[in-house]
Amino acid sequence: MKLLTPSLLILLIIAGGAVAFKLGTPTKCANVRGDDTLFALTGDVRRIPYAMKLLEYRTDRKLQIVGVGGHQYAELIPAQFKNRVDIEVESKSTYENSLAVREIAIEKNLKRIVIVTTEDHMNRSLLLIRRQLPDATVIPCPVRLQKMPPSERLWRWGMEYAKYIATWLGMEKRRTE
């Protein structure tokens, strides 16, 4: 029997990594406390409404909307939440989001933060934010990808896996997304 060719071996490693990437992704909010500050990363229409729902029953929770497009949500914030929501609109990429999260967390002396982003985007976001805030407790709160054709979902997961590998290798500073 012929040994595995290098290209087949590489393909198996990549495929195995993709499976591990997907299976290792958090599937629900973990340990969100009443006084936590939520950081919702813009980029997908599901993220901000999901984060707003997390504010509904906890009057001591705060929300930071981070990223380009955040200003679009200003008019959608219910009046009762206006004093608990801040919006950062300068960051244009996930890497820049992580820098903005770091700056806000340091400014507000936050030692524990909750990241709200879509499930496919969570692993890379956590990697970048934990690099910026190695001493903070970072809690994932993923938003499920629902009502999406399987082919689109597969494409998104594949793209995020490729970006995750690039980020893991330290290439995030060279990209703008």
Side-chain angles (χ1 to χ4, degrees):
M1 180 182 270
K2 197 175 190 184
L3 291 175
L4 293 175
T5 64
S7 58
L8 182 57
L9 185 60
I10 290 169
L11 182 62
L12 287 173
I13 290 170
I14 291 170
V19 169
F21 176 78
K22 173 73 167 94
L23 293 176
T25 301
T27 58
K28 43 181 131 163
C29 277
N31 305 318
V32 179
R33 298 189 314 216
D35 62 343
D36 279 332
T37 298
L38 311 171
F39 285 81
L41 308 182
T42 60
D44 184 285
V45 297
R46 297 167 186 84
R47 298 172 187 173
I48 306 307
Y50 184 82
M52 293 286 206
K53 278 199 135 339
L54 295 172
L55 290 180
E56 283 181 4
Y57 303 106
R58 299 305 304 236
T59 58
D60 46 351
R61 231 176 239 161
K62 303 230 186 294
L63 172 62
Q64 298 282 159
I65 298 173
V66 178
V68 165
H71 63 280
Q72 298 171 0
Y73 297 99
E75 62 199 39
L76 303 176
I77 299 170
Q80 73 266 27
F81 296 157
K82 293 265 186 204
N83 65 336
R84 296 192 289 143
V85 178
D86 289 318
I87 302 173
E88 182 278 337
V89 296
E90 298 300 316
S91 56
K92 298 177 184 78
S93 68
T94 304
Y95 174 68
E96 289 180 9
N97 289 166
S98 72
L99 297 175
V101 168
R102 178 183 184 276
E103 186 176 307
I104 294 165
I106 289 171
E107 176 186 316
K108 296 184 181 228
N109 197 31
L110 302 173
K111 303 296 182 210
R112 178 185 161 93
I113 61 173
V114 176
I115 302 302
V116 178
T117 190
T118 46
E119 59 186 339
D120 61 323
H121 189 240
M122 185 59 73
N123 288 337
R124 185 165 59 100
S125 299
L126 290 175
L127 176 61
L128 287 164
I129 291 166
R130 286 178 174 148
R131 280 183 182 167
Q132 294 299 321
L133 294 167
D135 297 326
T137 300
V138 182
I139 307 297
C141 192
V143 180
R144 301 292 304 222
L145 293 176
Q146 298 175 348
K147 299 179 182 173
M148 181 182 290
S151 60
E152 185 179 340
R153 186 175 296 179
L154 180 62
W155 175 255
R156 281 181 60 144
W157 277 101
M159 290 302 298
E160 279 301 326
Y161 176 55
K163 290 177 182 181
Y164 179 85
I165 291 171
T167 299
W168 184 73
L169 293 172
M171 297 167 56
E172 70 273 4
K173 294 177 190 158
R174 297 181 194 117
R175 294 184 38 83
T176 56
E177 179 34 70

